[in-house]
Amino acid sequence: MDGMVTDVAVGVKRGSDELLSGTVLSSPNSNMSSMVVTANGNDNKKFKGEDKMDGAPSRVLHIRKLPGEVTETEVIALGLPFGKVTNILMLKGKNQAFLELATEEAAITMVNYYSAVTPHLRNQPVYIQYSNHKELKTDNTLNQRAQAVLQAVTAVQTANTPLSGTTVSESAVTPAQSPVLRIIIDNMYYPVTLDVLHQIFSKFGAVLKIITFTKNNQFQALLQYGDPVNAQQAKLALDGQNIYNACCTLRIDFSKLVNLNVKYNNDKSRDYTRPDLPSGDGQPALDPAIAAAFAKETSLLAMNHLNGQKMYGKIIRVTLSKHQTVQLPREGLDDQGLTKDFGNSPLHRFKKPGSKNFQNIFPPSATLHLSNIPPSVAEEDLRTLFANTGGTVKAFKFFQDHKMALLQMATVEEAIQALIDLHNYNLGENHHLRVSFSKSTI
């Protein structure tokens, strides 16, 4: 398929004789006293004050203009890329829903993202705003279907949370936590292209690589995300859904592979981190305009991870710019310290095409991964070093070889500041400390 791909219909298979068409989502501190939303299963219950578009941030979000046949899974999928969804209330008679996230920060990130990119469900735009309510309580007995779906989501999220006291090597990923999905298309009455798959799955995070092939007379694909969490969210939301009405059903599982090796960028395979790859058969590399579009995927990953994070006591707001490049001042002019070219910086970990660093891009967390530590540096040295950034070191653990370690700050904001201050810090013996956010816990 050439050119832009239009929104692709996706339906949910609810039974052997019932297939619904629709689309996946389009992508990815108040002075009020604590209020509670209580649901008794009656869609006619009045909710006042939710028509206001701008409100104080709340972890409860009010979603309006929902399609009549939308499912709980589709609504929950709107929030999955931004964090844990803790509760949901569907008001189908009013075409509305309330979605509760685990933290206010996650809700802020979600609202900010969808204020720039209008989400769609079943080819229909939906609208998201902060609710006036601070907590969502539902009657589980009368809201059984929604609660069952939510419990399934929670089970997946809990199963992939490391147990306290355990550590995982940054390069060791078990099959169940692989960032690579294996996709099989059943009932393929219409062609499914690589671009169609990219459009659908990129709603849940940056897609790094896709390989398509036919095996046992079935169209299959391997698709790699930058983060295993994105793969888990996509599998939960899309497994069993139809790309087109009543056909092209997605069967999704985790692959045992943790990294895909793509040799060509063409209609069968593509590496979005390597726009320089040839298309095969002696063909030249991709057109520069197309290559630039692929490079945008790492920009989206940065926006999703950083938008809504707190730094210097304020919330960071990140959106895509209309500008394609940063214009540097002409040579000889004083830039007053406002611009800097990082193109040739030795700290640029994502400059090398196909670098394994792309597999270790994680959103900011309180736990930091430290590497390139010389033998002479002890735990107390590192604790003191990181405490001097103005934060509190809550936990520390060396890896077995003492060349790497995990260090946990008191808050995500403190960890962000520590990374800024200490990445590439000279520890002596020609060792410069490498600091990155970790997916593991101590």
Side-chain angles (χ1 to χ4, degrees), residues 378-400:
E379 174 180 337
E380 192 57 37
D381 298 325
L382 292 169
R383 281 180 172 269
T384 301
L385 182 64
F386 278 79
N388 287 340
T389 64
T392 302
V393 177
K394 302 291 290 185
F396 181 93
K397 186 177 181 65
F398 265 121
F399 285 71
Q400 190 170 4

Side-chain angles (χ1 to χ4, degrees), residues 351-402:
K351 179 172 61 177
K352 182 181 178 181
S355 169
K356 290 185 178 180
N357 289 328
F358 282 95
Q359 300 174 48
N360 292 323
I361 302 177
F362 304 111
S365 66
T367 305
L368 298 170
H369 179 261
L370 315 181
S371 61
N372 204 31
I373 304 171
S376 61
V377 173
E379 174 180 337
E380 192 57 37
D381 298 325
L382 292 169
R383 281 180 172 269
T384 301
L385 182 64
F386 278 79
N388 287 340
T389 64
T392 302
V393 177
K394 302 291 290 185
F396 181 93
K397 186 177 181 65
F398 265 121
F399 285 71
Q400 190 170 4
D401 59 6
H402 275 227

Side-chain angles (χ1 to χ4, degrees), residues 9-23:
V10 178
V12 179
K13 184 173 182 180
R14 301 166 70 186
S16 59
D17 57 352
E18 183 180 6
L19 297 172
L20 302 176
S21 63
T23 65

Side-chain angles (χ1 to χ4, degrees), residues 212-394:
T212 63
F213 55 95
T214 300
K215 183 178 181 180
N216 298 329
N217 294 322
Q218 280 187 314
F219 180 83
Q220 302 188 25
L222 293 171
L223 182 146
Q224 180 178 342
Y225 282 102
D227 190 331
V229 173
N230 299 131
Q232 293 156 4
Q233 293 166 346
K235 180 182 183 300
L236 177 67
L238 298 177
D239 186 28
Q241 293 202 27
N242 301 319
I243 296 177
Y244 305 109
N245 191 26
C247 70
C248 299
T249 305
L250 294 166
R251 303 297 182 196
I252 305 171
D253 204 348
F254 292 104
S255 171
K256 294 181 180 179
L257 300 173
V258 295
N259 185 46
L260 299 179
N261 181 22
V262 178
K263 296 181 179 180
Y264 305 113
N265 284 335
N266 52 35
D267 61 348
K268 300 296 183 183
S269 64
R270 199 163 295 167
D271 186 335
Y272 296 91
T273 71
R274 292 283 311 274
D276 59 307
L277 287 178
S279 59
D281 299 326
Q283 298 290 331
L286 289 176
D287 180 86
I290 299 177
F294 292 164
K296 184 179 178 181
E297 291 298 318
T298 54
S299 300
L300 289 173
L301 187 62
M303 181 180 74
N304 289 339
H305 283 348
L306 297 179
N307 187 40
Q309 296 293 340
K310 186 179 288 187
M311 185 175 174
Y312 302 126
K314 297 182 178 181
I315 300 295
I316 301 173
R317 307 298 187 201
V318 185
T319 58
L320 294 176
S321 171
K322 65 180 180 181
H323 301 286
Q324 298 301 312
T325 61
V326 175
Q327 185 65 44
L328 296 173
R330 291 194 300 273
E331 187 175 355
L333 292 181
D334 183 10
D335 66 358
Q336 300 179 337
L338 298 178
T339 59
K340 188 171 182 178
D341 185 355
F342 291 92
N344 296 318
S345 170
L347 303 182
H348 192 344
R349 286 170 283 182
F350 312 110
K351 179 172 61 177
K352 182 181 178 181
S355 169
K356 290 185 178 180
N357 289 328
F358 282 95
Q359 300 174 48
N360 292 323
I361 302 177
F362 304 111
S365 66
T367 305
L368 298 170
H369 179 261
L370 315 181
S371 61
N372 204 31
I373 304 171
S376 61
V377 173
E379 174 180 337
E380 192 57 37
D381 298 325
L382 292 169
R383 281 180 172 269
T384 301
L385 182 64
F386 278 79
N388 287 340
T389 64
T392 302
V393 177
K394 302 291 290 185

Side-chain angles (χ1 to χ4, degrees), residues 152-173:
V153 174
T154 304
V156 171
Q157 292 170 329
T158 303
N160 291 287
T161 301
L163 297 176
S164 176
T166 65
T167 60
V168 182
S169 168
E170 295 297 295
S171 61
V173 183

